[in-house]
């Protein structure tokens, strides 16, 4: 038994329900290792869980991803050693100083990749990876619409699509954010805070309907995303930063041109251990060889977790926010 300090959600609600508390942590159980957490990633799924959109019994420790160093082994663990550098996503309770993780949740962090960068890369990096490789396999000549392109997932999508010789129409809520998207390789830029007809602006920028729309903004962009697609184009709704999309009349897919619509989530693309290792290996490997850059847009101590979420929800961020044990 030892002590850990964690960010708890005490009841569903806004940022005021977060409480940073020190508590007992048992020794790691069978199949688990104890990890000293170097950093945890701040994600929208944490907001949905805190709000109760994804109901979770309270109190619970927030955070789905992180990275750190193994400090103790549970019974039966032979494939890890004290001192291993590990990272994870899709594993709750990550906003803490010390945690017990099942080894099946962990991947190894390659030499040369900083633990804070690894923590920042896991959830959003594997998301961008499955979106461009598996949900719709982007290839040369494809034109992709990427909303919130200066955000965490957005910057990674832009880099990965450009690396596949695709063209990106990037949107964002300010010209400064669009400049970030441009610096990542986006060829066409649309400020959705200032255009009257977003779909028309996207089509004008692309010169045609786009092949795929990657939409993590949701409620405020969904209709325009659908209207931006070419016939038989793919609508990928992967989040709702502006709110969840209301119920949908399926006949709109017919009227829009035999469109496809999917609402994917990371868990279904990393459920298989070999798939998880493949995606994490490619993302962390690309960071190690310099072909993928992770923008850490903010670094907060655990004690200031509420401020990190306020910035994320308030559209005040670019890139990825992380929480660290102390500043
Ligand atoms: P971002 O860093 O992209 O932040 C969200 C951005 O969305 C904001 O910066 C803002 O950019 C834009 N936005 C537009 N309207 C609003 C609004 N009303 N409130 C808040 N933000 C708004 O976040 P993430 O990269 O962490 O996540 C992006 C999306 O991806 C989220 O919806 C998230 O849930 C989803 N996601 C889905 C996964 C999956 O597997 N399905 C996995 C991981 C993330 P701007 O100012 O430019 O408009």
């Amino acid at each position: 038994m030892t002590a850990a300090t964690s960010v708890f959600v005490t009841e569903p609600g806004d940022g005021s329900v977060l409480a940073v508390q020190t508590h007992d942590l048992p020794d790691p159980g069978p199949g688990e290792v104890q990890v000293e957490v170097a950093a945890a990633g701040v994600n929208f799924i944490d907001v949905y869980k805190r709000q109760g959109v994804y109901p979770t019994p309270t109190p619970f420790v927030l955070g789905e991803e992180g990275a750190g160093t193994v400090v103790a082994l549970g019974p039966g663990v032979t494939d890890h050693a004290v001192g291993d550098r590990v990272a994870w996503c899709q594993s709750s309770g990550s906003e803490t100083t010390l945690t017990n993780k099942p080894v099946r949740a962990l991947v190894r962090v390659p030499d040369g990749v900083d633990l804070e960068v690894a923590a920042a890369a896991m959830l959003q990096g594997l998301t961008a990876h499955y979106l461009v490789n598996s949900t719709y396999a982007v290839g040369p000549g494809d034109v992709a619409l990427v909303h919130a392109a200066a955000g965490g997932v957005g910057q990674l999508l832009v880099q990965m699509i450009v690396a596949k010789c695709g063209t990106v129409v990037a949107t964002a809520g300010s010209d400064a954010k669009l400049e970030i998207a441009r610096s990542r390789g986006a060829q066409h830029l649309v400020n959705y805070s200032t255009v009257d007809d977003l779909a028309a602006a996207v089509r004008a920028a692309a010169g045609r309907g786009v092949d795929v729309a990657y939409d993590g903004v949701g409620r405020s962009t969904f209709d325009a995303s659908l209207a931006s697609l070419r016939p038989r184009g793919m609508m990928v709704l992967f989040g709702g930063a502006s709110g969840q999309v209301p119920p949908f009349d399926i006949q709109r897919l017919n009227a829009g041109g035999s469109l496809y619509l999917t609402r994917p989530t990371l868990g279904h693309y990393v459920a298989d251990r070999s798939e998880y290792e493949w995606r994490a290996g490619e993302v962390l490997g690309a960071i190690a060889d310099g072909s993928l850059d992770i923008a850490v847009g903010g670094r907060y101590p655990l004690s200031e977790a509420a401020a990190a979420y306020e910035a994320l929800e308030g559209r005040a961020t670019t890139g990825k926010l992380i929480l660290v044990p102390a500043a």
Side-chain angles (χ1 to χ4, degrees):
M1 186 80 81
T2 182
T5 300
S6 307
V7 179
F8 284 87
V9 174
T10 54
E11 58 182 312
D14 61 17
S16 67
V17 303
L18 299 184
V20 179
Q21 293 169 353
T22 297
H23 56 97
D24 289 337
L25 182 73
D27 294 337
E32 291 183 338
V33 296
Q34 194 161 81
V35 181
E36 186 177 71
V37 179
V42 172
N43 290 291
F44 256 93
I45 189 166
D46 311 326
V47 176
Y48 307 146
K49 283 192 164 185
R50 190 202 69 212
Q51 292 171 332
V53 174
Y54 295 170
T56 309
T58 54
F60 65 92
V61 177
L62 204 54
E64 300 292 311
E65 71 176 334
T69 305
V70 173
V71 292
L73 308 179
V77 173
T78 55
D79 50 353
H80 278 280
V82 169
D84 280 359
R85 290 164 13 103
V86 295
W88 62 89
C89 62
Q90 294 289 118
S91 183
S92 55
S94 299
E95 294 181 4
T96 182
T97 52
L98 199 63
T99 185
N100 295 332
K101 290 288 175 200
V103 294
R104 67 176 181 279
L106 305 176
V107 296
R108 291 172 197 278
V109 177
D111 292 345
V113 177
D114 184 84
L115 285 177
E116 290 189 8
V117 172
M122 287 297 289
L123 197 145
Q124 295 177 338
L126 271 61
T127 295
H129 187 276
Y130 84 71
L131 289 172
V132 305
N133 286 289
S134 305
T135 305
Y136 179 95
V138 173
D142 277 336
V143 181
L145 173 61
V146 176
H147 289 306
V153 178
Q155 287 194 45
L156 296 169
L157 282 173
V158 173
Q159 291 180 73
M160 290 183 190
I161 293 164
V162 170
K164 291 176 173 297
C165 301
T167 296
V168 176
V169 181
T171 69
S174 72
D175 290 344
K177 286 188 173 183
L178 287 174
E179 277 310 311
I180 291 172
R182 187 203 300 277
S183 75
R184 293 308 194 184
Q187 295 90 340
H188 306 291
L189 309 173
V190 176
N191 183 332
Y192 50 29
S193 295
T194 57
V195 294
D196 290 331
D197 184 337
L198 177 54
V202 170
R203 285 174 172 275
R208 63 176 176 86
V210 301
D211 300 287
V212 57
Y214 291 114
D215 189 340
V217 172
R219 180 182 283 269
S220 67
T221 49
F222 179 81
D223 289 342
S225 298
L226 214 57
S228 299
L229 289 167
R230 66 159 167 82
R232 293 160 55 181
M234 172 70 89
M235 172 72 205
V236 183
L237 176 71
F238 66 96
S242 69
Q244 303 304 318
V245 173
F248 177 77
D249 175 5
I250 207 161
Q251 288 303 331
R252 292 177 63 191
L253 300 178
N254 176 352
S258 300
L259 303 176
Y260 296 86
L261 166 65
T262 182
R263 180 29 177 119
T265 198
L266 175 61
H268 299 130
Y269 287 86
V270 293
D272 178 83
R273 175 74 201 178
S274 62
E275 194 171 4
Y276 180 38
E277 287 184 356
W278 167 55
R279 297 194 195 283
E282 291 213 342
V283 169
L284 296 175
I287 295 167
D289 73 20
S291 57
L292 184 70
D293 185 62
I294 302 293
V296 176
R299 187 174 176 276
Y300 295 72
L302 286 175
S303 57
E304 291 175 21
Y309 287 101
E310 190 179 337
L312 182 70
E313 294 169 69
R315 303 174 70 169
T317 65
T318 61
K320 178 64 181 241
L321 304 186
I322 57 170
L323 299 179
V324 295

